[in-house]
Amino acid sequence: LAKTTQPISMDSYEGQEVNITCSHNNIATNDYITWYQQFPSQGPRFIIQGYKTKVTNEVASLFIPADRKSSTLSLPRVSLSDTAVYYCLVGSHSGNTPLVFGKGTRLSVIA
Amino acid sequence: NAGVTQTPKFRILKIGQSMTLQCTQDMNHNYMYWYRQDPGMGLKLIYYSVGAGITDKGEVPNGYNVSRSTTEDFPLRLELAAPSQTSVYFCASSYSGQGRDNEQFFGPGTRLTVL
């Protein structure tokens, strides 16, 4: 499984765009990149998943450069309710090996 | 759909006691997982199952046992509780491990304290 590195914490003011970058230098050809969000006292929930270029949904955008050695989760105009831990997971979609959650990035949004 | 349900929500155990954490999903998912999360840390995989009758160890299986006799249920057993097992336990399920179907749905968690 590809090892991921992401910042331990980030602070942002309300209304700003937040970009969280994840490094995954040894990503394999079959690996996808998945991001989860975890609020305090809750289990994580899926945000977005991608393989290359850009993916956008109603919650976030995911930017993946051509070499796929990193990815950036972009949260537009954050609010206080976006305060959470964000996990970047990288793994193959073939076989049975589960994805591994790291320590994640703790995002604090300030009023 | 109730999704993934876990019982109990909270439990205090004495050292050496045993207990079973219950997990049930009603989404007909094949894959089920047990994680533990220590304060301020990420999730660590304890055990997982890719279908009824099939289980496999994760990163931190020592001190735990699981069984998967039905698609819906995936109980986690602690035989001899130790203070190091004080943690929040999350159960999750996914339809498969492949493609978009590997999205994991999590239960609300069980907060366990061992004294």
Side-chain angles (χ1 to χ4, degrees), chain A residues 43-86:
Chain A
R45 68 165 188 158
F46 174 96
I47 302 178
I48 198 165
Q49 183 181 78
Y51 183 79
K52 62 179 179 180
T53 62
K54 176 184 175 182
V55 179
T56 297
N57 62 22
E58 64 279 4
V59 176
S61 294
L62 179 60
F63 299 92
I64 305 168
D67 67 5
R68 303 199 327 120
K69 293 185 182 299
S70 67
S71 59
T72 298
L73 175 73
S74 181
L75 304 172
R77 295 183 297 281
V78 294
S79 64
L80 295 176
S81 63
D82 291 314
T83 294
V85 178
Y86 293 83

Side-chain angles (χ1 to χ4, degrees), chain B residues 9-87:
Chain B
K9 286 186 169 54
F10 304 93
R11 184 73 185 269
I12 298 175
L13 281 181
K14 293 183 178 178
I15 295 172
Q17 286 185 321
S18 301
M19 78 164 294
T20 298
L21 282 67
Q22 301 292 346
C23 176
T24 301
Q25 53 91 9
D26 63 357
M27 297 174 281
N28 200 31
H29 283 171
N30 296 309
Y31 285 51
M32 295 188 74
Y33 315 80
W34 272 107
Y35 295 91
R36 61 175 287 172
Q37 185 172 36
D38 298 334
M41 304 297 287
L43 283 80
K44 293 189 176 179
L45 183 65
I46 305 172
Y47 272 96
Y48 67 100
S49 169
V50 301
I54 305 169
T55 62
D56 210 342
K57 295 178 180 179
E59 305 168 82
V60 290
N62 291 343
Y64 307 94
N65 280 300
V66 293
S67 60
R68 184 94 182 273
S69 57
T70 67
T71 299
E72 295 78 20
D73 301 306
F74 190 40
L76 177 71
R77 178 83 178 161
L78 283 72
E79 289 295 347
L80 292 169
S84 61
Q85 294 178 305
T86 294
S87 190

Side-chain angles (χ1 to χ4, degrees), chain A residues 8-71:
Chain A
I8 294 195
S9 64
M10 295 179 69
D11 294 332
S12 175
Y13 287 101
E14 276 191 298
Q16 289 187 328
E17 177 184 75
V18 171
N19 295 310
I20 305 174
T21 297
C22 179
S23 298
H24 28 80
N25 291 322
N26 60 340
I27 189 169
T29 303
N30 292 333
D31 286 346
Y32 277 67
I33 300 153
T34 310
W35 285 80
Y36 282 78
Q37 174 190 56
Q38 184 180 23
F39 296 117
S41 301
Q42 295 184 26
R45 68 165 188 158
F46 174 96
I47 302 178
I48 198 165
Q49 183 181 78
Y51 183 79
K52 62 179 179 180
T53 62
K54 176 184 175 182
V55 179
T56 297
N57 62 22
E58 64 279 4
V59 176
S61 294
L62 179 60
F63 299 92
I64 305 168
D67 67 5
R68 303 199 327 120
K69 293 185 182 299
S70 67
S71 59

Side-chain angles (χ1 to χ4, degrees), chain A residues 34 36 38 41-46 49 87 89 92-104 106, chain B residues 31 33 35 37 40-45 48 50 59 90 97-100 102-108 111:
Chain A
T34 310
Y36 282 78
Q38 184 180 23
S41 301
Q42 295 184 26
R45 68 165 188 158
F46 174 96
Q49 183 181 78
Y87 297 94
L89 288 76
S92 173
H93 280 195
S94 60
N96 297 329
T97 305
L99 301 180
V100 174
F101 284 81
K103 294 183 179 180
R106 187 174 300 274
Chain B
Y31 285 51
Y33 315 80
Y35 295 91
Q37 185 172 36
M41 304 297 287
L43 283 80
K44 293 189 176 179
L45 183 65
Y48 67 100
V50 301
E59 305 168 82
F90 289 104
Q98 300 187 16
R100 183 65 175 79
N102 72 357
E103 175 184 348
Q104 294 184 34
F105 295 82
F106 283 79
R111 187 174 299 274

